[in-house]
Amino acid sequence: MKILLIEDEPSLLVAMRHYLESEHYNVSTANNFRTASVKAHDYEYDCVVLDITLPDGNGLAIVKELKEAHSQAGIIIVSAKNSLDDKLSGLELGADDYMTKPFHLPELNARIRSLMRRRQHEGETQLVFGAITLVPNRNQVLVENQPVELTVKEYELLLFLVTNKNRLLSKAVIVEHVWGDYMDGIDSHDFLYTHVRNLRRKLLDAGSPDYITTRYGAGYIFTPGE
Amino acid sequence: MKLLYKTALYLLLAAFPIALGGIFLLNAYIHRDMLHEIDELLASELIQVKEQLRLHPPDADDLPGWDPNVRITLAPLSYQTVPAYSDTVAFRHREKERSPVRMLRSTYAVDGQNYSISLQQSYLEFDEIASVVSVGVIVCFLIVVVLLVLADVLVTRRIWQPFYGIVRQLQYYRIDGPDEAEFPSSDVHEFKLLSQSLDEMSRRTRHQYAQQKQFTDNASHEMQTPLSVLSCELDLLQQSEGLNESDLDRIQRSQQEVKRLSAMNQSLLLLAKIDNHQFAHNDAVNIGELVNQLLTNYSDYVSHRGIAISRMIKDGPVKSLNRQLADVLFSNLIKNAVRHGDAGSSIFVQVGSNCFIITNEGDPLPFPEDQLFRRFVRNQALPQSTGLGLALVKEIAAQYGMTLKYDYASSMRRHMFQVDF
């Protein structure tokens, strides 16, 4: 899957690239408006992740250019401004998602995956992880072809864990993804533990092996058997 | 009442006493002048009578019927007087009524005869003329005033046209609007001045506003970007092999601090933006709906802590607020109650047509009550708190002229926050 990263801050670009490449994406980068515009024109990408504030131009103009060229690429805006106006104008121009800085790399990964699922596979898709099968279009989880009843939050939790499989995900990152910004500054440890315990129990009861490992004090890792 | 009609009304009201006073003054003036004229008339008549007496001395029998206005009688030679004027009343046979007259008495000696002469001139006609003239003049005056006022209304209405244009423009003036405001010019110097000054003022404020907006935007970008780098580096570091538990714990705590710093930065910027009135755009916000939705967002956490929420939420009060600010205002109050509420206690939320009330159970404030809404005043027991949440609430409430009240009922250990909108 080809991704174009547009970001003027070099260290951030390196970190993003590193993480996404280890997720097996094919990553191109651009650190200014001109290069970004040329690359966006000359190549086809599945997803473009772009920073609005660039030294030589406004990232929103690239969104416009992509849309005018009828590009099929999914567009995720990353902005340092937590501004509703920017968000609305970005989405209005045709961007698919909007993230504010600072963000977590697993969160970026989850947003890209979710966008790709929505864009590329309009039909029935299944994500298979060991004994667990997820059907994102229907928000359904199957273990050994039997549906498992999960709450909305448990489903989102599982989807986030499998999207970032084999990664250590801290509790704060998980809570922020599943419950949103509202949980800012809320002590999330015990809270998340309850939800993970319920999810784990439901999966185990359905006959799935235990793929969720707890790293005490740090977070959780989802490691499906191959 | 319009300035125009007010001026016209006062002008008309002022015209009446002026007219009334004018009648008396005019009457008195005409009277005085006429008296003078009558006296002159009598004096010249006296000279004529004397001339007649000198040339054609009449018989003594003839004297009474000579002229009703002229009475000549014979008088002893020793009786001599200088001409004297006096006012008196005479009976007039023709009109059969008594009327005021002016009288001139004199004596005249000629050819050894001494005549006593008394000449009369009735005031009556002159008085009538005086009042007719006075009333006529005043009526004309009033008609002229009314016509002038009417003309003034018409002219003023035309002249003030640009003023209303400027006011209309001001009503639609938005500091964050896309276009520079252009106030209509006029050939009236004062309005031109006003329009130019407003143009100048609008340009200046728009410039300042744009600069402040740019500053906050830049500050946001410049601070959030290094924080993003930090956060992403920590994310990568966390994935490294061979980290022990305390390493992971350190990464975790660093992440938390990055998060807190970022939240603090966001809140401070939000405060700055509110101070700069950068949230000029308002939407119709359904408060009941908003509060319900926010409570739903916290429901998992609330039930995890065993807190029961009882709601009395009226559907609807719709207020004109900025959506983002309304969101911050109510979510901060709810978050505050949820975070500080004792586990296993209850939170009461009420939305009435004009107020929002939220109460939670908990220990008394660890700092004086008057510091509650100050920036960076926080409960040290909650390390994740930025100490800006309630400062934002206060600022937003002030922005919309809402009153914010806090109370603590120590008997029930309940904190209460109330917003009247």
Side-chain angles (χ1 to χ4, degrees), chain B residues 12 15-16 19 137-148:
Chain B
L12 287 176
F16 283 102
V137 165
I138 292 308
V139 167
C140 283
F141 164 77
L142 283 177
I143 290 171
V144 166
V145 166
V146 169
L147 286 177
L148 273 179

Side-chain angles (χ1 to χ4, degrees), chain B residues 10-11 14 86 97 128 154 168-169 172 174 182 212 225 232 272 275 286 338 353 357 400 410:
Chain B
Y10 283 147
L11 270 177
S86 61
E97 59 183 9
E128 273 171 8
L154 291 175
R168 252 196 313 281
Q169 189 76 35
Y172 293 111
R174 288 283 168 273
E182 194 69 55
Q212 271 166 343
T225 302
C232 285
D275 283 345
N286 183 327
V338 170
S353 23
I357 298 171
Y400 291 108
S410 43

Side-chain angles (χ1 to χ4, degrees), chain A residues 80 101 105 170 176 179 182 218, chain B residues 220 224 235 252 259 297 300:
Chain A
K101 287 182 183 176
L105 293 171
S170 68
E176 201 181 309
W179 282 272
Y182 292 105
Chain B
S220 164
Q224 296 302 101
D235 281 341
Q252 198 93 133
K259 186 87 200 151
N297 289 335
D300 281 337

Side-chain angles (χ1 to χ4, degrees), chain A residues 9 53 80 82 101-105 153 167-168 170 176 179 182-184 186 190-191 194 215 217-218, chain B residues 220-221 224-225 228 231-232 235 238-239 248 252 255 259 262 266 294 297-298 300-301 304 324 335:
Chain A
E9 177 65 40
T53 329
N82 187 6
K101 287 182 183 176
F103 56 89
H104 290 286
L105 293 171
K153 297 294 174 196
R167 299 264 184 202
L168 172 59
S170 68
E176 201 181 309
W179 282 272
Y182 292 105
M183 304 300 276
D184 248 14
I186 276 177
D190 297 348
F191 168 56
T194 319
R215 292 288 293 271
Chain B
S220 164
H221 182 249
Q224 296 302 101
T225 302
S228 310
S231 168
C232 285
D235 281 341
Q238 190 175 250
Q239 306 304 328
L248 286 171
Q252 198 93 133
Q255 282 283 28
K259 186 87 200 151
S262 159
Q266 296 278 16
L294 290 171
N297 289 335
Y298 290 105
D300 281 337
Y301 184 69
H304 165 74
Q324 198 181 345
K335 189 152 71 175

